[in-house]
Amino acid sequence: MDFRRSDEQELIYQAAIDIATDQFAEKAFTWEDEFPYENQKILAEQDLLGIGLPMEYGGGGYSVVEVLIAQEAVGRVCPDTAHILSRSSMGPPRAIAELGSEYLKEKYLSAVCDGNSIISVAISEAEAGSDASNMQTSVERDGDELILNGSKMWVTKAAQCDAFLVYARFPDDNIGAIVVDKDTDGLTLDDGSVNMAGHVQHQLYFDDCTVHEDQVLVHEKDAFKRLLIEFNVERCHNAMMCVACGLNAFDKALDYAKNREQFDQPVADFQGIEWKLADMAMELDASRLLIYRAAANARESDPSRLETSMAKVKANEVGQEVVDESMQIHGANGYMKDSPIEYLYRWVRGWKIAGGTVEVQRNAIASELKKYGLD
């Protein structure tokens, strides 16, 4: 399969990186404790929000591959903005587009594409991290109403969200998902906790939180399986954030090494640094190809657990390694607080945990290999 960008995909990439360079570069790496609403507005104006959502709801109608291409391009300039771009087409909005009723699609997707709504997923609990099937948040029925009780942890961008895609256990013991508006009675947020990257994550508490049956995304016997299949695509988003951070760090390391002189020559001319740059580039390219393979093959069938897990593990580890080597090339300048490399170093680390740890992904890879081998 050919993973070179098509002419249309090349236009998307160039448009995204031009917009990012012109509009996002100056304030990149200043968003650690602030949400870049102004960049979200620009993405919406440039039709880059929701580009993977159906056109009838204001989206671009593109595949996951095109979403990742735009995410990569913007992430080379401003990873915080790339995260916004990708989340508008992946995660809960994509789950609603793929699995939701017409009511849910009309209620939520247009607002996401317009930049007027953000939806986050709420899965993890105190005793159900990687073992999501152990969740205890539950739903009881009362006619056409659903009563939700429990709590969720580590919810990203919760303070900025209008709604949450909440995974919960239904009365028949099946795990399904409900879209819960932030202003729903019985839903409260804690004050938030700051993670290593400086981003605030919140706990959600559901205390007899009542929502209408129309807010259910899926709840049938195979609902959890369907949700997990959709979540495979999420691993591509996760993986591309690591590649985007790695590319960002690589570009900065290459520029720094070419312009920084020591012992009367550019640092880039020392063989030790040349080998670092070569290894960084090879590993980033290998990771990127794994991601695009998984996403491209998902256009023809359900996303492969094997391919998406392999892409996630490789990208998670390479992203961290490349940012680390970039910091080494920058020396003390990269190690200083508020350096872009220092911020990337802290942020890229979290992706090895989010979306299923690399250890859990390796277990999944081995399980698939034992069943089917390697093509």
Side-chain angles (χ1 to χ4, degrees), residues 38 47 125 158 180 197 257 269 282 311 316 342:
E38 60 193 71
D47 296 324
E125 300 179 6
V180 182
D269 289 348
M282 287 188 291
N316 287 171
E342 182 266 349

Side-chain angles (χ1 to χ4, degrees), residues 89-323:
S89 286
M90 307 284 268
R94 187 177 188 280
I96 292 171
E98 293 291 319
L99 304 176
S101 65
E102 189 62 31
Y103 168 80
L104 290 176
K105 293 175 186 177
E106 291 182 355
K107 181 176 180 179
Y108 293 104
L109 297 188
S110 294
V112 169
C113 296
D114 292 341
N116 295 318
S117 179
I118 299 172
I119 311 174
S120 279
V121 67
I123 301 177
S124 296
E125 300 179 6
E127 302 302 324
S130 295
D131 183 13
S133 63
N134 194 38
M135 68 180 62
Q136 300 302 308
T137 297
S138 62
V139 174
E140 294 181 1
R141 293 189 181 276
D142 182 10
D144 290 336
E145 303 294 327
L146 301 174
I147 302 173
L148 189 64
N149 282 285
S151 63
K152 296 292 181 179
M153 301 180 71
W154 304 308
V155 180
T156 302
K157 302 288 192 293
Q160 291 79 33
C161 285
D162 306 284
F164 304 95
L165 180 61
V166 181
Y167 284 46
R169 193 173 296 279
F170 280 70
D172 54 9
D173 207 35
N174 293 326
I175 294 175
I178 309 169
V179 185
V180 182
D181 293 327
K182 188 176 184 178
D183 60 0
T184 303
D185 289 341
L187 167 60
T188 57
L189 278 65
D190 72 353
D191 293 334
S193 301
V194 180
N195 64 23
M196 179 175 166
H199 302 152
V200 180
Q201 294 178 297
H202 291 265
Q203 279 193 254
L204 308 184
Y205 299 99
F206 305 95
D207 183 11
D208 289 338
C209 179
T210 303
V211 298
H212 193 270
E213 175 76 25
D214 289 345
Q215 296 295 121
V216 174
L217 182 71
V218 285
H219 67 92
E220 301 83 1
K221 185 177 180 180
D222 66 342
F224 193 44
K225 179 180 179 181
R226 295 171 67 194
L227 288 167
L228 289 177
I229 289 172
E230 290 302 317
F231 202 77
N232 285 339
V233 180
E234 278 302 286
R235 295 189 178 93
C236 294
H237 151 77
N238 174 303
M240 187 53 78
M241 281 309 306
C242 291
V243 168
C245 287
L247 288 167
N248 195 303
F250 174 81
D251 291 342
K252 287 177 171 54
L254 179 61
D255 182 69
Y256 184 87
K258 288 163 65 176
N259 289 284
R260 168 73 166 171
E261 290 196 1
Q262 292 289 278
F263 303 102
D264 298 323
Q265 69 180 59
V267 169
D269 289 348
F270 290 97
Q271 188 179 61
I273 303 301
E274 288 180 324
W275 285 13
K276 285 184 184 295
L277 293 170
D279 287 341
M280 292 160 72
M282 287 188 291
E283 291 297 293
L284 283 170
D285 211 31
S287 302
R288 184 163 48 182
L289 287 171
L290 282 173
I291 298 168
Y292 283 125
R293 181 188 69 172
N297 288 341
R299 289 182 298 195
E300 308 300 328
S301 62
D302 288 337
S304 163
R305 180 63 191 271
L306 177 65
E307 291 180 354
T308 55
S309 290
M310 290 174 73
K312 182 184 187 299
V313 171
K314 182 67 174 177
N316 287 171
E317 295 182 347
V318 166
Q320 185 179 355
E321 291 164 5
V322 168
V323 174

